[in-house]
Amino acid sequence: MVGIDGVDDAGIYKLNDEMALVLTTDFFPPIVDDPYLFGQVAAANALSDVYAMGGKPLAALNILTVPADMPADVTGDILRGGADKIGEAGAVIAGGHSIKDKELKYGLAVTGIIHPNKIFTNKDARPGDILILTKPLGTGIVSTAIKQNKAQKEHVDYLCQLMIALNKIASEAMIEFGAHAATDITGFGLAGHSYEMASGSGVSFEIEYGKLKLLPGTIDYAKAGALTGGASANKSHLEGKISIDSFLESYASDIVFDPQTSGGLLISIDEKNANDCLDYLIKRNVNAAIIGRVLPQEKFSVIIKP
């Protein structure tokens, strides 16, 4: 039902009139020092694609590349972190595969279930919809500041708690209030995933930078040059496809292109349901915000204004 011909977050395979499978995978090198925490972040990130489609995770397979001299307890802590997060999602670890490699990498292939008539893609945003983002931005910038030994401990702690938070409640909210479309914000950043969603839907997104929630320290670290190579690649790929208001500071551009790890869901929802959806999220401690609206298709697929 959903495959490699588009840019959706996961594949969908129909089993019968009542059930379809949601299929996705994701893995990457460590972005935090603590192995147990790394396992949690990787699992939350992999689960996010299932939640973005409106699915329920069922089972996951570990994917691990590990250096030959890696202590067994470190590997065990990574796998335990992943298993605990998968368990929190109500799913199970069904197995996996590991190989020796020079660089440590970990992630999971996740399978979920969904009703064939209740699938959320990133291609059905509609003019008049309101855009809700369910997590603050800045994970790439703050992670880079950590690598540069510039990050404050309280900022690191906040980042880690954000990245291990599941998008389960956000997914439940978009189902409850009848959202039209959704995607999760990960490696292509807010700008890149917004572009995919807007262009796929044949509309334009107007995003207000001033309404974006940011991780503590994000602006200061961006100003200090804690920027990722991924942000530069995203910016280059989207050149001429999106519009960023010239009155915005240069760091604002860096933030919207910043690759996210285990970011929030971007939800396109009818205006009449948007505030109720936002209230639902906030009452359940999801740090969500209304960040813009959907317009009929204009010259640029994404318009970022102050």
Side-chain angles (χ1 to χ4, degrees), residues 57-77:
L58 276 187
L61 300 171
N62 286 318
I63 301 168
L64 180 69
T65 71
V66 59
D69 58 354
M70 179 71 70
D73 60 334
V74 173
T75 305
D77 284 345

Side-chain angles (χ1 to χ4, degrees), residues 137 185 188-197 205 207 234-235 238 242 244 253 255-258 266 301-302 304:
L137 298 174
I185 306 302
F188 294 137
L190 176 65
H193 289 288
S194 295
Y195 171 77
E196 288 182 340
M197 195 166 163
F205 284 4
I207 294 172
N234 289 340
K235 188 180 294 188
L238 293 168
I242 74 170
I244 299 179
S253 172
I255 288 168
V256 298
F257 287 112
D258 183 46
L266 179 63
S301 294
V302 180
I304 299 175

Side-chain angles (χ1 to χ4, degrees), residues 147-214:
K147 294 175 184 176
Q148 296 174 347
N149 295 315
K150 295 178 180 177
Q152 298 178 28
K153 183 181 183 305
E154 58 268 29
H155 296 166
V156 176
D157 291 344
Y158 194 104
L159 166 70
C160 291
Q161 291 307 307
L162 182 87
M163 291 192 298
I164 67 173
L166 296 177
N167 279 321
K168 183 174 185 290
I169 295 173
S171 184
E172 291 169 352
M174 71 184 194
I175 295 168
E176 175 74 18
F177 294 97
H180 293 146
T183 192
D184 65 329
I185 306 302
T186 50
F188 294 137
L190 176 65
H193 289 288
S194 295
Y195 171 77
E196 288 182 340
M197 195 166 163
S199 60
S201 302
V203 297
S204 290
F205 284 4
E206 181 182 77
I207 294 172
E208 296 182 51
Y209 176 81
K211 291 186 176 180
L212 299 177
K213 291 190 175 184
L214 307 177

